[in-house]
Structure formats: C-alpha cells, structure tokens
Amino acid sequence: MPDLEQIFAPLSAADLQLNEGQQTVALGLYRELAKGTPVYRQQLASALDISDREVNEVLDSDALSCLMFHDEQKAIIGFGGLAVVEMAHKFIVNSQTLYTWCAWDSLFIPELLGKTAQVESTCPETDLPVRLRVSPGGVEAVEPIETVVSFLLPDELRIEQSAPETMKSFCHKVYFLVSSEAGRTWTERHAGTFVLSLEDAFTLAQMLNTHRFGPVLRQV
C-alpha cells in the first residue's frame, strides 16, 4: 500500500486549481445543496450576496462545471461528491437526507459543511450495512469497527472532464467495506484498487480540502 504522500501527490497535481472566487462559490454551493433541494443559480447568488453574473461566470468555468449534475429544469442536483438525489451512500445532516457519490466524499464533505453527518452505506463485498458518524474533525463512530475504505492506486488517479466520467472512473471503485478481509477480497477483483484504513482515508480527505480550499474554508 502506498503512503499518503504517494497517494496525494498525483491527486494534488491533477486537482482543480480554484481561485478565491471559485472557492467561495463552491463552498456556498455545497452548503445550499445540504439543505436538501436542487439549487438554482439565483438562489446561490442570493445566499452568497453576489451578482447573478458572477455566479454564472464561476459555475460555467471549466474548474466547476465538470463537477455538477443538473435536473431537467437546469437546477444543480449534485456537486463535487454531494447530491440531493439518491445515490449509493446516504449522508444525513441536520435530519436532512442527502447522498454522496462515493465513500470518500462522506469523509471530506463534513468539513466543507462545518456539520456532523450520519453516513449509511453498504459493503459491496458482503452486502452488510456500514454506519458512521463523521464530524469536521474526524470519524466519531463506526459500525462495524473494522470498516475500511477501498481507494485507487496513484497511477489510476486522475481528474475527469465531467461528473459522469468521474463517477465511472473513481466513485464506482471507492467504497466502505466491513473488514480488511472483505477489502482485500474486493480489491483483488478490482484492478488498480487497494485498502485504506478509515483514519488514513479521513486524513487524505483533510489534505484534499486544505489543498482545494485553503484559508477560504476557514472564512466562509
């Protein structure tokens, strides 16, 4: 298993390079989605107290447009790992049921929201339930206690050009598994994957948040 720096190096090299305005709008979008309904652009502009034009420019930029899912009314229903429509990983914040695209999203999004989340998922190897309580500061509770996370080897990591492509190449390989044994069995059948401990997966999530949002995360 590569160490966290070996994993993070290709992640950070390929990651989106957001300017301060993009960071602010992205964090605002996460927090509007966390209310549990599709987000319209005018709604986001009002929440951030900026102009519709500025919001449109930022959301249409290459850096953010590749992270979004929309509904038929062009409202945003998913962004950067968080969704208001059903996906594999249930993510409950303030009694509001949301969803994440992959297991790892459930570990880094609480810090972006500044909220604790109850996470409910299913191990793809055993079909057994996995439940966690994740705060901005760490994993506070997990059942089963032996739960691990599948992840991609550094050579497999890359940032895709659209949300559906990211789902296919990354999210469909990153799961909670009920034990190291289940993790080994699953990763042996899925080339390019390996197992991370929950602690390491959360630390890697914090590293991503710091790299992507920097001091803006502490200001918003």
Side-chain angles (χ1 to χ4, degrees):
M1 183 183 72
D3 64 30
L4 294 186
E5 290 298 335
Q6 287 178 301
I7 302 167
F8 189 68
L11 263 178
S12 60
D15 192 29
L16 307 167
Q17 303 299 312
L18 305 182
N19 61 38
E20 185 173 338
Q22 291 168 333
Q23 292 169 342
T24 300
V25 170
L27 286 172
L29 180 51
Y30 275 116
R31 294 171 186 188
E32 286 300 298
L33 277 174
K35 297 177 181 179
T37 58
V39 176
Y40 291 89
R41 293 183 175 210
Q42 285 184 321
Q43 169 191 343
L44 180 59
S46 178
L48 293 172
D49 195 25
I50 60 178
S51 69
D52 293 353
R53 178 186 59 79
E54 184 176 352
V55 164
N56 287 332
E57 287 179 354
V58 172
L59 294 183
D60 289 336
S61 66
D62 291 342
L64 296 191
S65 61
C66 65
L67 298 175
M68 288 185 282
F69 284 105
H70 298 84
D71 64 13
E72 293 179 354
Q73 287 72 45
K74 297 185 179 180
I76 301 164
I77 57 175
F79 175 74
L82 185 64
V84 298
V85 294
E86 187 171 355
M87 292 188 173
H89 313 275
K90 190 176 289 187
F91 187 82
I92 303 169
V93 178
N94 289 345
S95 300
Q96 182 64 60
T97 299
L98 308 162
Y99 298 89
T100 61
W101 304 6
C102 74
W104 194 47
D105 299 330
S106 302
L107 301 181
F108 72 74
I109 291 175
E111 184 180 20
L112 303 183
L113 301 179
K115 303 288 185 181
T116 295
Q118 303 293 329
V119 180
E120 299 176 9
S121 189
T122 301
C123 171
E125 183 62 30
T126 65
D127 288 329
L128 294 173
V130 176
R131 296 181 177 88
L132 307 92
R133 183 173 69 250
V134 185
S135 76
V139 177
E140 296 183 344
V142 58
E143 182 183 351
I145 193 67
E146 299 89 359
T147 294
V148 295
V149 181
S150 62
F151 212 78
L152 300 185
L153 290 167
D155 289 347
E156 300 291 328
L157 290 169
R158 59 185 182 274
I159 300 297
E160 299 291 0
Q161 297 303 307
S162 73
E165 290 174 345
T166 297
M167 289 283 291
K168 181 178 179 180
S169 67
F170 183 83
C171 298
H172 291 171
K173 297 179 181 178
V174 181
Y175 290 95
F176 294 113
L177 296 115
V178 296
S179 66
S180 295
E181 181 179 359
R184 283 193 299 271
T185 302
W186 192 87
T187 56
E188 284 172 358
R189 293 188 291 102
H190 293 81
T193 65
F194 68 101
V195 170
L196 276 174
S197 69
L198 268 180
E199 180 181 4
D200 282 350
F202 185 83
T203 298
L204 192 64
Q206 289 182 307
M207 292 166 70
L208 177 73
N209 285 345
T210 298
H211 179 268
R212 184 172 285 184
F213 293 102
V216 171
L217 181 57
R218 314 301 170 198
Q219 300 167 6
V220 178

